[in-house]
Amino acid sequence: MLKEVLSISGKPGLYKLIKYGKNIVIVESLGDHKRVPAHSRDKIISLGDVAIYTTGDDVPLGQVFEAIYKKYEGKTVSPDTYKTNEALEKFFEGVLPDFDKDRVYFNDIKKVIMWYNILVNAGYTTFLEEEKKDEEVEKAEEKKEDEK
């Protein structure tokens, strides 16, 4: 799901991938639903490829969004509440307690809040890939069979 949601440098907001072209990608804004081309020279990042640094393994952005979604019961997060660096750090500790404070900057936290709000306003309610859930279920079932 997040693989099709893109961030494009120089363009505000998030975009949904519509179609690939030869040297362009057609995307649709999640805010106003306008379709625009994104050229090969633009820096395009899929949110499915983004991860947050932690003191252990990096955590995919989808898991962070799921944690925020559960904590705030599917509602948007008011960015006005988190204007100070201390408030941003406390917010992120509540969502991802073991995030790496040396490598995750306050601007990164602000961007996560902004992206989360855009996705929720666009109607997204799940942020994890179904395939990964299926793989986890299969691994759990295999583990149970091995224990027998």
Side-chain angles (χ1 to χ4, degrees), residues 61-109:
L61 190 58
Q63 287 182 6
V64 175
F65 286 155
E66 282 288 330
I68 297 171
Y69 190 81
K70 288 177 184 173
K71 182 176 181 176
Y72 288 89
E73 299 171 347
K75 297 181 178 111
T76 58
V77 177
S78 173
D80 295 334
T81 310
Y82 304 105
K83 287 194 174 190
T84 66
N85 291 346
E86 293 79 23
L88 285 168
E89 187 173 330
K90 187 174 179 181
F91 162 78
F92 220 57
E93 283 176 345
V95 174
L96 188 63
D98 61 341
F99 81 97
D100 190 337
K101 294 176 184 172
D102 294 329
R103 297 193 301 173
V104 177
Y105 301 107
F106 297 114
N107 284 338
D108 298 332
I109 299 171

Side-chain angles (χ1 to χ4, degrees), residues 105-121:
Y105 301 107
F106 297 114
N107 284 338
D108 298 332
I109 299 171
K110 288 178 186 178
K111 192 175 288 187
V112 167
I113 292 171
M114 180 186 71
W115 285 351
Y116 169 79
N117 287 339
I118 291 171
L119 290 170
V120 169
N121 287 333

Side-chain angles (χ1 to χ4, degrees), residues 1-2 62 65-66 69 116 119-120 124-129:
M1 194 256 3
L2 286 181
F65 286 155
E66 282 288 330
Y69 190 81
Y116 169 79
L119 290 170
V120 169
Y124 287 84
T125 57
T126 57
F127 303 98
L128 297 176
E129 298 292 329

Side-chain angles (χ1 to χ4, degrees), residues 1-95:
M1 194 256 3
L2 286 181
K3 286 280 187 195
E4 295 177 358
V5 178
L6 308 173
S7 172
I8 303 171
S9 66
K11 295 186 182 197
L14 293 175
Y15 298 85
K16 180 179 178 183
L17 174 65
I18 301 298
K19 187 175 181 179
Y20 289 103
K22 185 172 182 172
N23 288 323
I24 64 168
V25 180
I26 305 299
V27 295
E28 182 178 286
S29 171
L30 292 180
D32 59 11
H33 303 289
K34 290 184 180 179
R35 290 187 179 189
V36 294
H39 301 279
S40 58
R41 66 180 177 270
D42 295 328
K43 183 176 179 184
I44 302 171
I45 299 171
S46 167
L47 295 192
D49 296 335
V50 176
I52 302 295
Y53 295 118
T54 66
T55 54
D57 291 335
D58 296 346
V59 175
L61 190 58
Q63 287 182 6
V64 175
F65 286 155
E66 282 288 330
I68 297 171
Y69 190 81
K70 288 177 184 173
K71 182 176 181 176
Y72 288 89
E73 299 171 347
K75 297 181 178 111
T76 58
V77 177
S78 173
D80 295 334
T81 310
Y82 304 105
K83 287 194 174 190
T84 66
N85 291 346
E86 293 79 23
L88 285 168
E89 187 173 330
K90 187 174 179 181
F91 162 78
F92 220 57
E93 283 176 345
V95 174

